[in-house]
Amino acid sequence: MSNRADRRHFQDLLREHEGIVFKVAGLYAQHAEDRRDLAQEIGLQAWRSFARFDPGKAKFSTWLYRVALNVAISQLRKTSGPGSGRLEPLEQHHLDSLHADPLPEADERLAALYAFIGQLDALNRALILLYLEDKSYAEIADILGISETNVATKIGRIKQTLRGQMTGAAMAGA
């Protein structure tokens, strides 16, 4: 393909899967401007590495998640030093812009879930994002570059911790 055809193909694929970019940017950046900057950086890095994308080895969505999460986690690590403030751990107000209004009876449970997700480190946050996106353990392993066994173990531990926190919160509220 010519460079122009490659660019057009990339733009079409990116447009089709732009939700991935916005979800990842929304999960790792606090302010709207930072989310836009991160989404642009993800797009740029995806374009730079598009020549290495092999449709025979992975779906575009899987490859894009890998690129997006690598960029977001790298940016988080670069900017998370004292006083940086550009990218921060996820908090409830970050998620408000990502989701439609939940049902009123679910508000408290969703708030607790979002708070829990916000406390996770960058890798575990990525794991939960992909898990909540209904990705298989094989897809998650491929995207994050870890084994399926490691994915299953980490997700199991996260679920166990979440159950404990939700049970504890329910008991405290009773």
Side-chain angles (χ1 to χ4, degrees), residues 1-18:
M1 258 193 270
S2 71
N3 194 25
R4 179 174 282 185
D6 282 347
R7 185 177 305 134
R8 180 70 181 162
H9 182 59
F10 172 77
Q11 289 171 337
D12 290 345
L13 286 169
L14 188 60
R15 196 171 300 112
E16 182 181 335
H17 296 89
E18 69 185 2

Side-chain angles (χ1 to χ4, degrees), residues 117-132:
I117 292 170
Q119 295 171 3
L120 297 174
D121 64 30
L123 174 63
N124 286 329
R125 197 178 314 161
L127 271 164
I128 288 301
L129 168 69
L130 296 169
Y131 178 77
L132 293 174

Side-chain angles (χ1 to χ4, degrees), residues 138-154:
E139 287 176 296
I140 295 170
D142 188 36
I143 290 167
L144 297 178
I146 60 177
S147 71
E148 282 186 62
T149 303
N150 199 352
V151 168
T153 300
K154 286 179 176 292

Side-chain angles (χ1 to χ4, degrees), residues 19-29 38 42 64-65 68-69 72 129:
I20 292 169
V21 174
F22 294 125
K23 283 177 193 169
V24 171
L27 222 95
Y28 286 89
L38 182 55
I42 290 168
L64 185 58
Y65 263 120
L69 289 166
L129 168 69

Side-chain angles (χ1 to χ4, degrees), residues 42-96:
I42 290 168
L44 176 64
Q45 293 304 324
W47 169 245
R48 286 181 176 164
S49 59
F50 185 62
R52 293 186 302 274
F53 168 62
D54 182 355
K57 289 186 178 179
K59 296 186 294 187
F60 183 79
S61 60
T62 300
W63 176 84
L64 185 58
Y65 263 120
R66 185 181 307 127
V67 171
L69 289 166
N70 282 334
V71 170
I73 291 169
S74 293
Q75 291 290 332
L76 183 64
R77 287 179 180 149
K78 280 187 220 173
T79 61
S80 63
S84 63
R86 298 270 307 155
L87 299 181
E88 298 182 8
L90 186 69
E91 294 178 9
Q92 174 62 40
H93 65 276
H94 303 146
L95 291 156
D96 291 341

